[in-house]
Amino acid sequence: MSPYGTGEERKPENVWRTLRKLFSYLGGQRLTLAVVVVAAAVSASMQALAPLYIARAVDGLHEFVDGKIPSSEAGRVLVVSMLLVLSLYVAGWLTGSVSRIALLKIGQRLLLRIRSQIMAKVHLLSLSFFDHNKSGDLISRLSNDTD
């Protein structure tokens, strides 16, 4: 539903111009956005690599059961593989957390910037505008449109 009470959604006339404007709000956040992308990629790769080392540990146990390798070698393969899996999951969790925290900061800074620009615009409006519009409706519209 449109915030203007017409009952229909409004779509931007020029999507690319709207996206450019949205990216312009990012301003100095481009480095943080790059950190988000890199951290998310590293996290995904860590999570994807862990099953390979789990398979290696299972293969080592299978070879031990078949009698192809001694128990000391099987134990070493198992311990090394599980330590690698643990370190991959911990590294994936850490980089994923960095990505989420950085993305949260970008979103909050973007929201602050948009709200500041809206308030600057509201302060420029004439008093007659506020006479014709209910303050509760304005506050509701402004807060809902920026969330």
Side-chain angles (χ1 to χ4, degrees):
M1 185 161 155
S2 170
Y4 303 107
T6 62
E8 60 188 52
E9 288 288 325
R10 290 183 50 197
K11 295 184 179 179
E13 295 173 12
N14 185 338
V15 174
W16 293 112
R17 187 177 68 179
T18 304
L19 285 175
R20 268 195 306 272
K21 186 171 185 177
L22 181 62
F23 281 117
S24 74
Y25 282 115
L26 290 174
Q29 302 297 316
R30 294 191 203 302
L31 178 62
T32 310
L33 191 57
V35 167
V36 166
V37 170
V38 169
V42 169
S43 177
S45 350
M46 297 293 175
Q47 302 296 326
L49 284 175
L52 295 175
Y53 288 101
I54 292 173
R56 185 175 172 193
V58 170
D59 289 345
L61 284 175
H62 183 66
E63 289 177 0
F64 168 69
V65 170
D66 288 346
K68 295 180 183 176
I69 59 173
S71 63
S72 61
E73 180 68 20
R76 188 187 66 75
V77 168
L78 182 62
V79 168
V80 169
S81 296
M82 289 299 105
L83 286 176
L84 281 170
V85 167
L86 179 65
S87 63
L88 285 171
Y89 280 131
V90 168
W93 174 77
L94 286 173
T95 54
S97 296
V98 166
S99 177
R100 285 185 293 277
I101 290 169
L103 192 58
L104 181 67
K105 285 184 178 185
I106 288 172
Q108 291 300 314
R109 288 177 184 150
L110 181 66
L111 191 59
L112 175 65
R113 191 168 182 185
I114 290 171
R115 285 183 175 168
S116 297
Q117 287 184 351
I118 289 173
M119 286 309 298
K121 181 72 173 180
V122 167
H123 287 143
L124 294 175
L125 296 172
S126 67
L127 290 177
S128 65
F129 174 82
F130 295 102
D131 289 339
H132 296 0
N133 295 289
K134 296 178 183 176
S135 61
D137 290 342
L138 293 172
I139 291 171
S140 176
R141 187 177 298 165
L142 292 174
S143 64
N144 288 334
D145 287 350
T146 56
D147 280 341

